[in-house]
Amino acid sequence: MAARILFQALFPRSTVATATFFSADIASQLLTTTTANECTALPTLASFSNEWDPARSAKTAAFGLGVVGWYGFSTSFLVARVFPASSKGITFATAMLQAATQQALFAPPLTFSFLYASAALVHDDESAFETAKDQLPEVGALAWTFLPWANGLANWAIRNPTFKAATLNGIAFGWATYLATVATPRDE
């Protein structure tokens, strides 16, 4: 029974994380291709399909499947237990406290893991640990200016579960696209 409940909780989140990271890597490749070519317009689907690296997107998606789904679910579950919503729903203060706690305690290891895995497994960087360590302060600083506010406001202001999920997944897609772009070496 517990395994079934766990599967029902984790499978949809892992599936969404996989799709999010796969799509975000495609968007990142599209953005870096456009920037590298100094285009004034986005490349056409035909021209991009010649440059797209599906193995890179698959490796990035594997990180979403293997790490982000269960990690995001379990940390969100824990934070919601420590700072629960009231009987009338989540207050602004609770939503912001949950988002800030998530950002302070659980985002840095996840972000470092992504930067490291991307450098080591996707871009074959032999100094992947150093690369991730060098990128983390800048990425972490940007995360603090955006993510707690966006996630906290979405959790507090949006009551419809479908719209809330769509908004939070949109935020996750934007952030994953940024991470995949930052993790891409400038010479690629």
Side-chain angles (χ1 to χ4, degrees):
M1 182 68 157
R4 184 172 145 211
I5 292 170
L6 188 62
F7 177 78
Q8 288 174 335
L10 290 179
F11 182 73
R13 287 164 180 85
S14 293
T15 303
V16 169
T18 304
T20 300
F21 274 76
F22 185 80
S23 303
D25 186 71
I26 292 172
S28 172
Q29 288 186 52
L30 187 63
L31 289 170
T32 54
T33 298
T34 301
T35 304
N37 295 336
E38 297 180 14
C39 295
T40 56
L42 291 175
T44 64
L45 184 58
S47 68
F48 177 68
S49 66
N50 293 333
E51 297 180 34
W52 175 49
D53 182 357
R56 172 185 153 171
S57 296
K59 290 175 185 176
T60 304
F63 184 83
L65 176 65
V67 178
V68 177
W70 69 266
Y71 186 82
F73 171 73
S74 58
T75 59
S76 297
F77 182 81
L78 176 66
V79 169
R81 294 293 175 250
V82 173
F83 305 110
S86 70
S87 59
K88 296 179 182 178
I90 193 164
T91 64
F92 178 73
T94 301
M96 295 310 290
L97 188 58
Q98 287 178 353
T101 302
Q102 188 84 358
Q103 188 64 38
L105 298 180
F106 303 115
L110 182 64
T111 302
F112 183 83
S113 298
F114 178 80
L115 294 171
Y116 174 76
S118 184
L121 304 174
V122 177
H123 301 292
D124 298 321
D125 183 350
E126 294 187 16
S127 58
F129 185 84
E130 291 299 319
T131 299
K133 190 173 82 171
D134 292 344
Q135 292 172 330
L136 187 62
E138 181 182 333
V139 171
L142 181 61
W144 266 105
T145 62
F146 171 71
L147 290 176
W149 298 103
N151 289 326
L153 286 171
N155 276 318
W156 170 70
I158 303 172
R159 300 293 180 197
N160 181 302
T162 302
F163 292 136
K164 184 183 289 192
T167 302
L168 292 171
N169 286 331
I171 293 167
F173 171 76
W175 186 247
T177 301
Y178 168 74
L179 286 177
T181 303
V182 166
T184 302
R186 298 295 153 232
D187 58 351
E188 277 191 27

